[in-house]
Amino acid sequence: MGTDELREGLENVVVAETRLSRIDGEAGELLIGGYPLEELAPNATFEETAFLLRNDRLPTADELDEFRERLASLRSIPDAALDAVRAAAEDESESAMDALRIGAASLSLARDDEDPEADSLLLVAAFPTIVAAYWRVRSGGEPVDPRPDLSHAANYLYMLTGEEPSEAEVRGLETYLNAVVDHGLNASTFTARTIASTESDLVSAITGAVGALKGPLHGGAPGPVLETLLDVHESGDAESYLRQQLDAGERLMGFGHRVYRVRDPRAAVLSDAAERFYAADSSGDEAFFETALETEEAAVDLLAEYKPGRDLETNVEFYTAVLLHGVGVPRELFSATFGVARVGGWTAHCLEQLEDNRLIRPRSSYVGATGREWTPIEARE
Ligand code: ACO
């Protein structure tokens, strides 16, 4: 028997068991596959993290080689999928997330049978190719073919620019991909699991997840964060810039979180990674990183002044903007790059759902009319 108690937004309702990630919002701790985020994210390759989520353990050296090769062999997308992504890039109104949704849906053209395991690899492997192809065409160039000899992260940057990235850029991007690969039952992951629970196929499940991630309430804050940082970097006065925003009733992007009451642990990992990147890479601008630190400090102080007792702290999006900007990912691709990472979590969640599947089917509480009598169309006014 069900209950008619309404839980708007399913807040705090537990609808799945998972071994993929555990969030402690009070302590500000995140485990990925059992490992503390701050250990995993800066050390693992993205391939190791994706393997961990699928197999619940880290790979041996041989297993990692084989997994890398399998992923690398699936990077090219079918011509028809590339044409669809190209069409999106040539249409000014289509964003990178639109192109990712179109490209993801087209990946069913790359397979002969529906097989969850094989589909999950294909999706993880092909996402960077779709986003990079969109960007190349959107910026007036031609897509760059993937290179199987490069790592997943290095190849993504290579396909964006046509140039081999530096080690510091690869490490920075890889840390980002690992840090956001999975995060409990967020809206897009729930969408993917719901579609998988109908025993539909994984291409459909992940296409739906991309649609959920596109929404500004889910994956859209780092772009505006970068705008703030570039403006503050120019003006040199974080406090008055942010005060103006708050006085105008605006929210400070990159701060506050539904689950975390303390600094988001991903912000800490990404801040450390950004600091290392800006110090190590000759193209990195250390002064820009200093601006980010000053802006964060000013924002946290001002939020405590304007919203006392709300515990508004830095979230993942703040240092996402700093790090992705540093490693050379264009602002227009921030959300789609989130998808390039999160597809590792989405696909693992779908496989987990299918291990012991039960159709996800909640109820609604009816609030409409009752007892109406049918009126023939001629008699309606
Ligand atoms: N700046 C200013 N005020 C804020 C902010 C912020 N960033 N975040 C929350 N507040 C205020 C709200 O105005 C509200 O104040 P009020 O009660 O006086 O009106 C109070 O804090 C509580 O806000 P809610 O919206 O109820 O908090 P919720 O938990 O729903 O919000 C959210 C979480 C959406 C992330 C919010 O903090 C926000 O809009 N932040 C800015 C956008 C952002 O950074 N988004 C990325 C989040 S990370 C991610 O989702 C991956």
Side-chain angles (χ1 to χ4, degrees), residues 217-219 221 246 250-259 261 264 266 303 307 310 312 315-317 338:
L217 296 187
H218 195 354
L246 287 168
E250 289 169 25
R251 291 186 175 208
L252 303 186
M253 289 294 144
F255 298 90
H257 197 277
R258 176 61 62 81
V259 181
R261 293 290 154 244
D264 184 330
R266 297 168 298 176
L303 286 169
K307 301 281 171 185
R310 290 290 189 189
L312 297 170
N315 67 42
V316 62
E317 309 284 33
F338 191 162

PDB file of all heavy atoms in Angstrom, residues 217-219 221 246 250-259 261 264 266 303 307 310 312 315-317 338, ligand 1:
ATOM      1  N   LEU A 217      19.235  24.370 -13.692  1.00  0.00           N
ATOM      2  CA  LEU A 217      19.291  24.060 -12.261  1.00  0.00           C
ATOM      3  C   LEU A 217      20.272  22.928 -11.971  1.00  0.00           C
ATOM      4  O   LEU A 217      20.557  22.630 -10.822  1.00  0.00           O
ATOM      5  CB  LEU A 217      17.907  23.648 -11.740  1.00  0.00           C
ATOM      6  CG  LEU A 217      16.836  24.732 -11.796  1.00  0.00           C
ATOM      7  CD1 LEU A 217      15.571  24.264 -11.093  1.00  0.00           C
ATOM      8  CD2 LEU A 217      17.327  26.029 -11.158  1.00  0.00           C
ATOM      9  N   HIS A 218      20.757  22.267 -13.007  1.00  0.00           N
ATOM     10  CA  HIS A 218      21.632  21.115 -12.783  1.00  0.00           C
ATOM     11  C   HIS A 218      23.081  21.420 -13.166  1.00  0.00           C
ATOM     12  O   HIS A 218      23.947  21.420 -12.307  1.00  0.00           O
ATOM     13  CB  HIS A 218      21.083  19.925 -13.587  1.00  0.00           C
ATOM     14  CG  HIS A 218      21.648  18.596 -13.205  1.00  0.00           C
ATOM     15  ND1 HIS A 218      22.664  18.423 -12.306  1.00  0.00           N
ATOM     16  CD2 HIS A 218      21.319  17.345 -13.616  1.00  0.00           C
ATOM     17  CE1 HIS A 218      22.938  17.142 -12.174  1.00  0.00           C
ATOM     18  NE2 HIS A 218      22.145  16.466 -12.966  1.00  0.00           N
ATOM     19  N   GLY A 219      23.340  21.696 -14.440  1.00  0.00           N
ATOM     20  CA  GLY A 219      24.753  21.750 -14.867  1.00  0.00           C
ATOM     21  C   GLY A 219      25.233  23.081 -15.400  1.00  0.00           C
ATOM     22  O   GLY A 219      26.242  23.132 -16.087  1.00  0.00           O
ATOM     23  N   ALA A 221      26.117  26.354 -13.921  1.00  0.00           N
ATOM     24  CA  ALA A 221      26.689  27.507 -13.207  1.00  0.00           C
ATOM     25  C   ALA A 221      28.109  27.921 -13.590  1.00  0.00           C
ATOM     26  O   ALA A 221      28.453  29.087 -13.448  1.00  0.00           O
ATOM     27  CB  ALA A 221      26.606  27.286 -11.696  1.00  0.00           C
ATOM     28  N   LEU A 246      24.760  41.193  -5.071  1.00  0.00           N
ATOM     29  CA  LEU A 246      23.855  40.854  -3.966  1.00  0.00           C
ATOM     30  C   LEU A 246      22.832  41.962  -3.742  1.00  0.00           C
ATOM     31  O   LEU A 246      21.649  41.683  -3.502  1.00  0.00           O
ATOM     32  CB  LEU A 246      24.661  40.590  -2.690  1.00  0.00           C
ATOM     33  CG  LEU A 246      25.433  39.261  -2.687  1.00  0.00           C
ATOM     34  CD1 LEU A 246      26.429  39.214  -1.524  1.00  0.00           C
ATOM     35  CD2 LEU A 246      24.479  38.070  -2.607  1.00  0.00           C
ATOM     36  N   GLU A 250      20.757  39.388  -6.876  1.00  0.00           N
ATOM     37  CA  GLU A 250      21.241  38.225  -7.644  1.00  0.00           C
ATOM     38  C   GLU A 250      21.932  37.226  -6.731  1.00  0.00           C
ATOM     39  O   GLU A 250      22.410  37.569  -5.667  1.00  0.00           O
ATOM     40  CB  GLU A 250      22.247  38.698  -8.708  1.00  0.00           C
ATOM     41  CG  GLU A 250      21.599  39.456  -9.836  1.00  0.00           C
ATOM     42  CD  GLU A 250      22.628  40.131 -10.735  1.00  0.00           C
ATOM     43  OE1 GLU A 250      23.775  39.662 -10.782  1.00  0.00           O
ATOM     44  OE2 GLU A 250      22.270  41.145 -11.358  1.00  0.00           O
ATOM     45  N   ARG A 251      21.997  35.986  -7.197  1.00  0.00           N
ATOM     46  CA  ARG A 251      22.733  34.948  -6.476  1.00  0.00           C
ATOM     47  C   ARG A 251      24.186  34.931  -6.927  1.00  0.00           C
ATOM     48  O   ARG A 251      24.467  35.197  -8.093  1.00  0.00           O
ATOM     49  CB  ARG A 251      22.121  33.579  -6.722  1.00  0.00           C
ATOM     50  CG  ARG A 251      20.790  33.463  -6.066  1.00  0.00           C
ATOM     51  CD  ARG A 251      20.210  32.094  -6.166  1.00  0.00           C
ATOM     52  NE  ARG A 251      18.976  32.080  -5.383  1.00  0.00           N
ATOM     53  CZ  ARG A 251      18.472  31.018  -4.804  1.00  0.00           C
ATOM     54  NH1 ARG A 251      19.059  29.853  -4.940  1.00  0.00           N
ATOM     55  NH2 ARG A 251      17.366  31.088  -4.097  1.00  0.00           N
ATOM     56  N   LEU A 252      25.063  34.617  -6.023  1.00  0.00           N
ATOM     57  CA  LEU A 252      26.468  34.482  -6.416  1.00  0.00           C
ATOM     58  C   LEU A 252      26.680  33.067  -6.938  1.00  0.00           C
ATOM     59  O   LEU A 252      26.481  32.095  -6.215  1.00  0.00           O
ATOM     60  CB  LEU A 252      27.385  34.752  -5.220  1.00  0.00           C
ATOM     61  CG  LEU A 252      27.217  36.114  -4.539  1.00  0.00           C
ATOM     62  CD1 LEU A 252      28.286  36.300  -3.465  1.00  0.00           C
ATOM     63  CD2 LEU A 252      27.293  37.258  -5.564  1.00  0.00           C
ATOM     64  N   MET A 253      27.038  32.993  -8.201  1.00  0.00           N
ATOM     65  CA  MET A 253      27.202  31.683  -8.843  1.00  0.00           C
ATOM     66  C   MET A 253      28.433  30.963  -8.278  1.00  0.00           C
ATOM     67  O   MET A 253      29.484  31.581  -8.096  1.00  0.00           O
ATOM     68  CB  MET A 253      27.365  31.867 -10.352  1.00  0.00           C
ATOM     69  CG  MET A 253      26.094  32.303 -11.019  1.00  0.00           C
ATOM     70  SD  MET A 253      24.875  30.985 -10.879  1.00  0.00           S
ATOM     71  CE  MET A 253      23.395  31.903 -10.657  1.00  0.00           C
ATOM     72  N   GLY A 254      28.259  29.658  -8.030  1.00  0.00           N
ATOM     73  CA  GLY A 254      29.386  28.895  -7.480  1.00  0.00           C
ATOM     74  C   GLY A 254      29.346  28.793  -5.962  1.00  0.00           C
ATOM     75  O   GLY A 254      30.291  28.294  -5.350  1.00  0.00           O
ATOM     76  N   PHE A 255      28.219  29.259  -5.375  1.00  0.00           N
ATOM     77  CA  PHE A 255      28.094  29.198  -3.912  1.00  0.00           C
ATOM     78  C   PHE A 255      26.719  28.652  -3.537  1.00  0.00           C
ATOM     79  O   PHE A 255      25.734  28.905  -4.226  1.00  0.00           O
ATOM     80  CB  PHE A 255      28.317  30.586  -3.291  1.00  0.00           C
ATOM     81  CG  PHE A 255      29.699  31.080  -3.578  1.00  0.00           C
ATOM     82  CD1 PHE A 255      29.952  31.827  -4.719  1.00  0.00           C
ATOM     83  CD2 PHE A 255      30.763  30.716  -2.762  1.00  0.00           C
ATOM     84  CE1 PHE A 255      31.245  32.227  -5.036  1.00  0.00           C
ATOM     85  CE2 PHE A 255      32.056  31.105  -3.079  1.00  0.00           C
ATOM     86  CZ  PHE A 255      32.290  31.866  -4.218  1.00  0.00           C
ATOM     87  N   GLY A 256      26.677  27.901  -2.433  1.00  0.00           N
ATOM     88  CA  GLY A 256      25.427  27.294  -1.966  1.00  0.00           C
ATOM     89  C   GLY A 256      25.242  25.916  -2.592  1.00  0.00           C
ATOM     90  O   GLY A 256      25.745  25.649  -3.700  1.00  0.00           O
ATOM     91  N   HIS A 257      24.592  25.031  -1.867  1.00  0.00           N
ATOM     92  CA  HIS A 257      24.339  23.679  -2.389  1.00  0.00           C
ATOM     93  C   HIS A 257      23.178  23.071  -1.615  1.00  0.00           C
ATOM     94  O   HIS A 257      23.027  23.314  -0.422  1.00  0.00           O
ATOM     95  CB  HIS A 257      25.590  22.802  -2.238  1.00  0.00           C
ATOM     96  CG  HIS A 257      25.552  21.578  -3.094  1.00  0.00           C
ATOM     97  ND1 HIS A 257      24.898  20.429  -2.716  1.00  0.00           N
ATOM     98  CD2 HIS A 257      26.067  21.341  -4.332  1.00  0.00           C
ATOM     99  CE1 HIS A 257      25.022  19.531  -3.685  1.00  0.00           C
ATOM    100  NE2 HIS A 257      25.713  20.059  -4.680  1.00  0.00           N
ATOM    101  N   ARG A 258      22.360  22.268  -2.309  1.00  0.00           N
ATOM    102  CA  ARG A 258      21.229  21.617  -1.661  1.00  0.00           C
ATOM    103  C   ARG A 258      21.682  20.616  -0.597  1.00  0.00           C
ATOM    104  O   ARG A 258      21.060  20.483   0.453  1.00  0.00           O
ATOM    105  CB  ARG A 258      20.371  20.921  -2.731  1.00  0.00           C
ATOM    106  CG  ARG A 258      19.210  20.108  -2.226  1.00  0.00           C
ATOM    107  CD  ARG A 258      18.174  20.919  -1.454  1.00  0.00           C
ATOM    108  NE  ARG A 258      17.507  21.947  -2.189  1.00  0.00           N
ATOM    109  CZ  ARG A 258      16.470  21.762  -3.027  1.00  0.00           C
ATOM    110  NH1 ARG A 258      16.009  20.565  -3.231  1.00  0.00           N
ATOM    111  NH2 ARG A 258      15.902  22.777  -3.627  1.00  0.00           N
ATOM    112  N   VAL A 259      22.782  19.931  -0.842  1.00  0.00           N
ATOM    113  CA  VAL A 259      23.206  18.866   0.080  1.00  0.00           C
ATOM    114  C   VAL A 259      24.310  19.329   1.033  1.00  0.00           C
ATOM    115  O   VAL A 259      24.276  19.012   2.225  1.00  0.00           O
ATOM    116  CB  VAL A 259      23.699  17.622  -0.709  1.00  0.00           C
ATOM    117  CG1 VAL A 259      24.127  16.512   0.252  1.00  0.00           C
ATOM    118  CG2 VAL A 259      22.611  17.106  -1.647  1.00  0.00           C
ATOM    119  N   ARG A 261      26.440  21.591   3.494  1.00  0.00           N
ATOM    120  CA  ARG A 261      26.339  22.748   4.386  1.00  0.00           C
ATOM    121  C   ARG A 261      27.725  23.326   4.653  1.00  0.00           C
ATOM    122  O   ARG A 261      27.877  24.318   5.358  1.00  0.00           O
ATOM    123  CB  ARG A 261      25.663  22.347   5.712  1.00  0.00           C
ATOM    124  CG  ARG A 261      24.220  21.976   5.549  1.00  0.00           C
ATOM    125  CD  ARG A 261      23.361  23.230   5.221  1.00  0.00           C
ATOM    126  NE  ARG A 261      22.159  22.876   4.476  1.00  0.00           N
ATOM    127  CZ  ARG A 261      21.895  23.265   3.230  1.00  0.00           C
ATOM    128  NH1 ARG A 261      22.709  24.053   2.588  1.00  0.00           N
ATOM    129  NH2 ARG A 261      20.784  22.904   2.627  1.00  0.00           N
ATOM    130  N   ASP A 264      31.997  22.360  -0.440  1.00  0.00           N
ATOM    131  CA  ASP A 264      31.853  21.156  -1.266  1.00  0.00           C
ATOM    132  C   ASP A 264      33.241  20.495  -1.402  1.00  0.00           C
ATOM    133  O   ASP A 264      34.204  21.166  -1.787  1.00  0.00           O
ATOM    134  CB  ASP A 264      31.329  21.644  -2.642  1.00  0.00           C
ATOM    135  CG  ASP A 264      31.008  20.543  -3.627  1.00  0.00           C
ATOM    136  OD1 ASP A 264      31.649  19.488  -3.564  1.00  0.00           O
ATOM    137  OD2 ASP A 264      30.121  20.777  -4.476  1.00  0.00           O
ATOM    138  N   ARG A 266      34.415  18.678  -3.552  1.00  0.00           N
ATOM    139  CA  ARG A 266      34.920  18.746  -4.926  1.00  0.00           C
ATOM    140  C   ARG A 266      35.569  20.110  -5.179  1.00  0.00           C
ATOM    141  O   ARG A 266      36.521  20.221  -5.952  1.00  0.00           O
ATOM    142  CB  ARG A 266      33.785  18.476  -5.916  1.00  0.00           C
ATOM    143  CG  ARG A 266      33.210  17.078  -5.762  1.00  0.00           C
ATOM    144  CD  ARG A 266      31.923  16.911  -6.509  1.00  0.00           C
ATOM    145  NE  ARG A 266      30.890  17.815  -6.020  1.00  0.00           N
ATOM    146  CZ  ARG A 266      29.684  17.939  -6.552  1.00  0.00           C
ATOM    147  NH1 ARG A 266      29.365  17.220  -7.619  1.00  0.00           N
ATOM    148  NH2 ARG A 266      28.794  18.774  -6.041  1.00  0.00           N
ATOM    149  N   LEU A 303      28.337  36.441   1.802  1.00  0.00           N
ATOM    150  CA  LEU A 303      27.149  35.590   1.940  1.00  0.00           C
ATOM    151  C   LEU A 303      26.802  35.417   3.422  1.00  0.00           C
ATOM    152  O   LEU A 303      25.626  35.370   3.792  1.00  0.00           O
ATOM    153  CB  LEU A 303      27.361  34.235   1.253  1.00  0.00           C
ATOM    154  CG  LEU A 303      27.312  34.312  -0.275  1.00  0.00           C
ATOM    155  CD1 LEU A 303      27.791  33.011  -0.920  1.00  0.00           C
ATOM    156  CD2 LEU A 303      25.893  34.645  -0.776  1.00  0.00           C
ATOM    157  N   LYS A 307      23.250  36.675   4.130  1.00  0.00           N
ATOM    158  CA  LYS A 307      22.359  35.525   4.387  1.00  0.00           C
ATOM    159  C   LYS A 307      22.820  34.790   5.636  1.00  0.00           C
ATOM    160  O   LYS A 307      23.228  33.623   5.575  1.00  0.00           O
ATOM    161  CB  LYS A 307      22.373  34.553   3.186  1.00  0.00           C
ATOM    162  CG  LYS A 307      21.931  35.162   1.877  1.00  0.00           C
ATOM    163  CD  LYS A 307      20.415  35.255   1.802  1.00  0.00           C
ATOM    164  CE  LYS A 307      19.969  36.060   0.597  1.00  0.00           C
ATOM    165  NZ  LYS A 307      18.523  36.261   0.564  1.00  0.00           N
ATOM    166  N   ARG A 310      22.662  30.750   6.790  1.00  0.00           N
ATOM    167  CA  ARG A 310      22.329  29.901   5.633  1.00  0.00           C
ATOM    168  C   ARG A 310      23.456  28.936   5.256  1.00  0.00           C
ATOM    169  O   ARG A 310      23.271  28.078   4.393  1.00  0.00           O
ATOM    170  CB  ARG A 310      22.020  30.776   4.407  1.00  0.00           C
ATOM    171  CG  ARG A 310      20.734  31.534   4.506  1.00  0.00           C
ATOM    172  CD  ARG A 310      19.577  30.580   4.418  1.00  0.00           C
ATOM    173  NE  ARG A 310      18.313  31.289   4.293  1.00  0.00           N
ATOM    174  CZ  ARG A 310      17.152  30.680   4.367  1.00  0.00           C
ATOM    175  NH1 ARG A 310      17.102  29.388   4.572  1.00  0.00           N
ATOM    176  NH2 ARG A 310      16.036  31.358   4.243  1.00  0.00           N
ATOM    177  N   LEU A 312      26.174  29.268   3.398  1.00  0.00           N
ATOM    178  CA  LEU A 312      26.425  29.251   1.946  1.00  0.00           C
ATOM    179  C   LEU A 312      27.935  29.211   1.694  1.00  0.00           C
ATOM    180  O   LEU A 312      28.649  30.176   1.956  1.00  0.00           O
ATOM    181  CB  LEU A 312      25.782  30.466   1.285  1.00  0.00           C
ATOM    182  CG  LEU A 312      24.253  30.505   1.408  1.00  0.00           C
ATOM    183  CD1 LEU A 312      23.699  31.849   0.943  1.00  0.00           C
ATOM    184  CD2 LEU A 312      23.627  29.367   0.612  1.00  0.00           C
ATOM    185  N   ASN A 315      30.731  25.899  -3.912  1.00  0.00           N
ATOM    186  CA  ASN A 315      30.356  24.607  -4.501  1.00  0.00           C
ATOM    187  C   ASN A 315      31.298  24.246  -5.659  1.00  0.00           C
ATOM    188  O   ASN A 315      32.187  25.012  -6.034  1.00  0.00           O
ATOM    189  CB  ASN A 315      28.868  24.590  -4.903  1.00  0.00           C
ATOM    190  CG  ASN A 315      28.544  25.528  -6.050  1.00  0.00           C
ATOM    191  OD1 ASN A 315      29.286  25.617  -7.022  1.00  0.00           O
ATOM    192  ND2 ASN A 315      27.417  26.231  -5.940  1.00  0.00           N
ATOM    193  N   VAL A 316      31.047  23.059  -6.225  1.00  0.00           N
ATOM    194  CA  VAL A 316      31.945  22.490  -7.235  1.00  0.00           C
ATOM    195  C   VAL A 316      32.123  23.398  -8.456  1.00  0.00           C
ATOM    196  O   VAL A 316      33.177  23.432  -9.091  1.00  0.00           O
ATOM    197  CB  VAL A 316      31.406  21.102  -7.678  1.00  0.00           C
ATOM    198  CG1 VAL A 316      30.042  21.211  -8.331  1.00  0.00           C
ATOM    199  CG2 VAL A 316      32.355  20.373  -8.595  1.00  0.00           C
ATOM    200  N   GLU A 317      31.065  24.183  -8.763  1.00  0.00           N
ATOM    201  CA  GLU A 317      31.092  24.940 -10.014  1.00  0.00           C
ATOM    202  C   GLU A 317      32.126  26.060 -10.009  1.00  0.00           C
ATOM    203  O   GLU A 317      32.615  26.456 -11.058  1.00  0.00           O
ATOM    204  CB  GLU A 317      29.702  25.520 -10.314  1.00  0.00           C
ATOM    205  CG  GLU A 317      28.560  24.533 -10.255  1.00  0.00           C
ATOM    206  CD  GLU A 317      28.481  23.605 -11.451  1.00  0.00           C
ATOM    207  OE1 GLU A 317      29.544  23.264 -12.002  1.00  0.00           O
ATOM    208  OE2 GLU A 317      27.367  23.216 -11.826  1.00  0.00           O
ATOM    209  N   PHE A 338      31.077  18.526 -18.437  1.00  0.00           N
ATOM    210  CA  PHE A 338      30.476  17.855 -17.277  1.00  0.00           C
ATOM    211  C   PHE A 338      29.867  16.528 -17.751  1.00  0.00           C
ATOM    212  O   PHE A 338      30.051  15.469 -17.138  1.00  0.00           O
ATOM    213  CB  PHE A 338      29.412  18.786 -16.689  1.00  0.00           C
ATOM    214  CG  PHE A 338      28.840  18.406 -15.343  1.00  0.00           C
ATOM    215  CD1 PHE A 338      28.170  19.370 -14.589  1.00  0.00           C
ATOM    216  CD2 PHE A 338      28.939  17.129 -14.817  1.00  0.00           C
ATOM    217  CE1 PHE A 338      27.614  19.061 -13.356  1.00  0.00           C
ATOM    218  CE2 PHE A 338      28.387  16.804 -13.578  1.00  0.00           C
ATOM    219  CZ  PHE A 338      27.721  17.774 -12.850  1.00  0.00           C
TER     220      PHE A 338
HETATM  221  N1  ACO B   1      23.883  33.578  -3.565  1.00  0.00           N
HETATM  222  C1  ACO B   1      23.061  34.326  -2.808  1.00  0.00           C
HETATM  223  N2  ACO B   1      22.089  33.807  -2.049  1.00  0.00           N
HETATM  224  C2  ACO B   1      21.928  32.484  -2.075  1.00  0.00           C
HETATM  225  C3  ACO B   1      22.755  31.647  -2.846  1.00  0.00           C
HETATM  226  C4  ACO B   1      23.778  32.241  -3.613  1.00  0.00           C
HETATM  227  N3  ACO B   1      24.602  31.527  -4.358  1.00  0.00           N
HETATM  228  N4  ACO B   1      22.373  30.365  -2.666  1.00  0.00           N
HETATM  229  C5  ACO B   1      21.327  30.395  -1.819  1.00  0.00           C
HETATM  230  N5  ACO B   1      21.075  31.673  -1.454  1.00  0.00           N
HETATM  231  C6  ACO B   1      20.033  32.129  -0.518  1.00  0.00           C
HETATM  232  C7  ACO B   1      18.663  32.144  -1.155  1.00  0.00           C
HETATM  233  O1  ACO B   1      18.389  33.380  -1.749  1.00  0.00           O
HETATM  234  C8  ACO B   1      17.788  31.872   0.032  1.00  0.00           C
HETATM  235  O2  ACO B   1      17.690  33.061   0.790  1.00  0.00           O
HETATM  236  P1  ACO B   1      16.264  33.557   1.348  1.00  0.00           P
HETATM  237  O3  ACO B   1      15.697  32.409   2.102  1.00  0.00           O
HETATM  238  O4  ACO B   1      16.626  34.730   2.165  1.00  0.00           O
HETATM  239  O5  ACO B   1      15.450  33.895   0.133  1.00  0.00           O
HETATM  240  C9  ACO B   1      18.614  30.898   0.861  1.00  0.00           C
HETATM  241  O6  ACO B   1      19.980  31.169   0.534  1.00  0.00           O
HETATM  242  C10 ACO B   1      18.311  29.426   0.579  1.00  0.00           C
HETATM  243  O7  ACO B   1      18.274  29.230  -0.806  1.00  0.00           O
HETATM  244  P2  ACO B   1      17.536  28.013  -1.544  1.00  0.00           P
HETATM  245  O8  ACO B   1      17.389  28.365  -2.986  1.00  0.00           O
HETATM  246  O9  ACO B   1      16.340  27.587  -0.792  1.00  0.00           O
HETATM  247  O10 ACO B   1      18.606  26.875  -1.361  1.00  0.00           O
HETATM  248  P3  ACO B   1      18.726  25.577  -2.235  1.00  0.00           P
HETATM  249  O11 ACO B   1      19.299  24.533  -1.368  1.00  0.00           O
HETATM  250  O12 ACO B   1      17.471  25.254  -2.948  1.00  0.00           O
HETATM  251  O13 ACO B   1      19.769  26.092  -3.349  1.00  0.00           O
HETATM  252  C11 ACO B   1      21.339  26.226  -5.013  1.00  0.00           C
HETATM  253  C12 ACO B   1      20.863  25.444  -3.783  1.00  0.00           C
HETATM  254  C13 ACO B   1      20.294  26.143  -6.134  1.00  0.00           C
HETATM  255  C14 ACO B   1      22.656  25.578  -5.510  1.00  0.00           C
HETATM  256  C15 ACO B   1      21.613  27.694  -4.644  1.00  0.00           C
HETATM  257  O14 ACO B   1      22.531  27.761  -3.579  1.00  0.00           O
HETATM  258  C16 ACO B   1      22.066  28.549  -5.804  1.00  0.00           C
HETATM  259  O15 ACO B   1      21.223  29.033  -6.582  1.00  0.00           O
HETATM  260  N6  ACO B   1      23.409  28.773  -5.969  1.00  0.00           N
HETATM  261  C17 ACO B   1      23.923  29.538  -7.077  1.00  0.00           C
HETATM  262  C18 ACO B   1      23.962  28.707  -8.365  1.00  0.00           C
HETATM  263  C19 ACO B   1      25.023  27.625  -8.320  1.00  0.00           C
HETATM  264  O16 ACO B   1      26.162  27.828  -7.933  1.00  0.00           O
HETATM  265  N7  ACO B   1      24.623  26.414  -8.780  1.00  0.00           N
HETATM  266  C20 ACO B   1      25.482  25.227  -8.843  1.00  0.00           C
HETATM  267  C21 ACO B   1      25.224  24.303  -7.693  1.00  0.00           C
HETATM  268  S1  ACO B   1      26.320  22.937  -7.652  1.00  0.00           S
HETATM  269  C22 ACO B   1      25.576  21.780  -8.617  1.00  0.00           C
HETATM  270  O17 ACO B   1      24.386  21.715  -8.665  1.00  0.00           O
HETATM  271  C23 ACO B   1      26.386  20.803  -9.375  1.00  0.00           C
END
